[in-house]
Amino acid sequence: VGRKRFVSLAHRLLLRHEELTRTNKLLLDQVAALAGERDSLRSRLAAARTRIDTLLERLPSDDKDNE
């Protein structure tokens, strides 16, 4: 009875390990995809900031109005 139980537990542990390995790979893939998305969004944000800064530089200065 002890050997049968040991074999059964070992089999369950092996199945659980395989399941966790698959889950871990899926999570790593998601992390990589999200990191790529984050980097793309950062790049778009930087480009938008540059465009806004360029537009702000083209606006007339308020210094003359304050005198």
Side-chain angles (χ1 to χ4, degrees):
V1 176
R3 185 177 193 291
K4 249 186 181 179
R5 181 161 168 74
F6 174 78
V7 170
S8 175
L9 288 173
H11 181 68
R12 286 176 51 202
L13 282 173
L14 180 60
L15 291 175
R16 183 70 172 141
H17 176 266
E18 291 169 352
E19 176 187 344
L20 290 172
T21 300
R22 284 191 304 273
T23 301
N24 189 50
K25 184 187 180 324
L26 291 172
L27 289 171
L28 289 172
D29 292 345
Q30 285 181 349
V31 167
L34 290 171
E37 185 178 347
R38 177 206 59 209
D39 293 345
S40 174
L41 290 170
R42 282 182 177 166
S43 176
R44 290 174 56 195
L45 177 61
R49 283 183 173 153
T50 300
R51 288 192 305 273
I52 289 171
D53 288 343
T54 300
L55 290 172
L56 289 173
E57 288 173 6
R58 292 171 58 186
L59 289 175
S61 175
D62 287 341
D63 291 342
K64 292 178 185 173
D65 296 338
N66 292 334
E67 291 179 1

